[in-house]
Amino acid sequence: MQTENNSNPVSLKKATIINATSKYATVILGLLFSAVLSRLLSPEDYGIVAVVTVFTNFFSLFADMGIGTAVIQNKRLSDDDENRIFTFTLYVGIALFVLFSMFSILLVKIYENTVYYVVGPLLGISLALTTFNMVPNARLMKSKKFLLVAIRTILSAVLGYIAAVVIAFLGGKYYAIIFQSIITALITFLWNWKSTNLRFQFCSVINSVKKIWGFSSYQFGFNFVNYFSRNLDNLLTGYFFGDKMLGYYDKAYKLMRYPVDNLTNVITPSIQPILSDHQDDSRYVLEKYNKMAKFLAIIAVYVGCVCFFASKEIILLYFGRQWEGAVLSFHYLSISLVFQIVGGLSGSIYQCVNKTRQMFWSGIIGSLITVASIMVGIWFGSIEMLSLCYAIGFILNFAKSQWFLGHFCFNESVFKLTAIYIPDVVILAAMSVVLYFVPTLDNLLLSLLLKAGIGLGIYFIMLLLTKEYKTIVSVLPEKLQKKLPRWMRG
């Protein structure tokens, strides 16, 4: 495996471009096929699957257990070690399938619907296949086969969606969504397994698993704690404020997460496979981290500012006027966008420098901050105040994360680590001052275009004045950079 890594060098920029292409292609495909499926299936069909999905997401924590990231990180694993770890995941996947199938009996009693006798085990198959895929996918990422993974991701998504549309058209109802999940997971696993030549070994797997357990156990602990802290707001909002207010809050939160999922999460899959090769060179990792964080910060400043000042236009245009109750929640949550987009890099950095123990403790403290902010927001008695307090919690978590990264990963002070963002704060302040005085028009589309356009003009002016445009230019392909004026390349 080591020789393969060295013989196939891939830059972080190239890997990110490949991942971005795959990510955005699947997003577009998802929107197109979802539009078709939404016309063929009823809300009840989606609701049946959604109930089970809540629980499969929880069981997925045990399907992952940090094994994939541990395999990528550990460069001393032999082929036999990886085969035995793969064998271990087969055992885990089968066990999860059996447990989830048994759990479906409880779902039938809770929701008084016998469809879960069948739906539960079927989604359990998808859960098992996802577990089986951990090591094959990790070996491909470890070998930096990003293009192969991207092609596989797009192809498996297309075939899964086509199958779902056919089943829905034939009257298969909620089975269309279920088999979409199964077929996508099956194609992904078979493709990865065939590409990596991993083998089942009927022997003791304990010694091989022990080699990664120190790393993966803290990764699993972090994921476990993070899962509950990230879902507590929905649970408590529904309990204290009711389903309607939960609906408003959930819409606002998911829309706020959209830039995070489609900016930060495009970069993070590439970080560990590339930078783990330099896990003992903290200066090199710091240099790459600063470049990624700066680029994300510059983009996030514009996105976050427009979302904050045009929250009414965005919500009403995207969801309709019946969702006006979500406007203020989205408005306040947008305050944290910049911090979430930049802060989302930290997990991959902990992984690539072998600091998952510190990541776990950072996650524990972060969860306490998150829970406290949620409880304070609920105490104030409205989803708007909950959103504001939650946003403040994200900002405090960013500060905590920067301290942990500086102290444990880079041996840098938090002030030096965050000083690179001063120009971004200046740009954000300039945009905020101007957009504060821009009125909201009755025509929502014109109002959004006006605010986005004026904001973009101020943004470009400030990029030139602060010379922050150089950060954006630096990530462009070299051929495109050469076509730019010399003063922009300087």
Side-chain angles (χ1 to χ4, degrees), residues 178-333:
I178 295 169
F179 278 97
Q180 173 197 341
S181 174
I182 293 173
I183 290 170
T184 301
L186 179 62
I187 294 171
T188 300
F189 168 64
L190 292 177
W191 183 309
N192 288 354
W193 181 42
K194 183 67 176 178
S195 301
T196 55
N197 295 315
L198 285 162
R199 301 186 309 276
F200 173 83
Q201 291 190 352
F202 191 74
C203 61
S204 175
V205 300
I206 298 301
N207 289 334
S208 295
V209 172
K210 281 182 178 179
K211 292 182 180 181
I212 62 168
W213 187 245
F215 183 98
S216 65
S217 60
Y218 283 111
Q219 177 73 54
F220 170 68
F222 173 81
N223 292 342
F224 192 82
V225 170
N226 197 47
Y227 172 84
F228 284 103
S229 66
R230 285 300 180 98
N231 287 278
L232 183 65
D233 55 334
N234 274 346
L235 292 172
L236 294 181
T237 300
Y239 181 80
F240 285 102
F241 302 132
D243 292 339
K244 185 178 181 180
M245 291 296 106
L246 174 59
Y248 288 142
Y249 175 80
D250 188 56
K251 282 289 185 186
Y253 182 83
K254 286 180 177 176
L255 187 58
M256 179 274 298
R257 284 289 306 178
Y258 198 78
V260 181
D261 294 335
N262 291 284
L263 286 173
T264 309
N265 292 350
V266 167
I267 297 177
T268 50
S270 311
I271 294 176
Q272 193 198 6
I274 299 293
L275 294 188
S276 61
D277 290 342
H278 307 274
Q279 57 190 270
D280 298 320
D281 187 354
S282 62
R283 293 292 95 186
Y284 180 87
V285 176
L286 174 60
E287 178 189 348
K288 296 297 182 181
Y289 168 74
N290 281 340
K291 287 182 178 179
M292 291 184 289
K294 275 295 295 179
F295 174 74
L296 286 176
I298 289 172
I299 303 299
V301 161
Y302 177 76
V303 174
C305 205
V306 171
C307 286
F308 180 79
F309 286 100
S311 53
K312 180 178 180 179
E313 292 89 337
I314 293 171
I315 287 287
L316 299 188
L317 283 171
Y318 194 63
F319 295 123
R321 291 190 176 274
Q322 70 270 28
W323 291 98
E324 191 164 2
V327 169
L328 268 181
S329 289
F330 180 64
H331 179 72
Y332 288 133
L333 286 169

Side-chain angles (χ1 to χ4, degrees), residues 79-88 90 135-136 139 193 196-202:
D79 287 343
D80 279 340
D81 285 326
E82 292 187 0
N83 284 327
R84 288 164 186 162
I85 296 169
F86 171 63
T87 300
F88 173 72
L90 296 181
V135 178
R139 177 176 271 196
W193 181 42
T196 55
N197 295 315
L198 285 162
R199 301 186 309 276
F200 173 83
Q201 291 190 352
F202 191 74

Side-chain angles (χ1 to χ4, degrees), residues 106-175:
L106 181 61
L107 288 179
V108 171
K109 293 185 177 180
I110 293 174
Y111 294 98
E112 298 180 348
N113 193 337
T114 56
V115 300
Y116 296 117
Y117 279 132
V118 179
V119 172
L122 285 176
L123 285 175
I125 295 173
S126 179
L127 181 65
L129 289 169
T130 301
T131 311
F132 298 163
N133 185 50
M134 274 193 299
V135 178
N137 187 71
R139 177 176 271 196
L140 286 177
M141 296 298 284
K142 189 175 185 177
S143 302
K144 303 178 179 63
K145 301 289 183 63
F146 299 110
L147 183 58
L148 182 64
V149 171
I151 294 171
R152 176 219 71 197
T153 300
I154 296 171
L155 184 61
S156 61
V158 169
L159 294 176
Y161 281 125
I162 290 174
V165 170
V166 171
I167 293 170
F169 186 77
L170 294 174
K173 301 176 70 174
Y174 47 82
Y175 288 110

Side-chain angles (χ1 to χ4, degrees), residues 82-102:
E82 292 187 0
N83 284 327
R84 288 164 186 162
I85 296 169
F86 171 63
T87 300
F88 173 72
T89 63
L90 296 181
Y91 296 149
V92 173
I94 293 169
L96 287 174
F97 167 73
V98 172
L99 288 173
F100 198 76
S101 297
M102 295 171 63

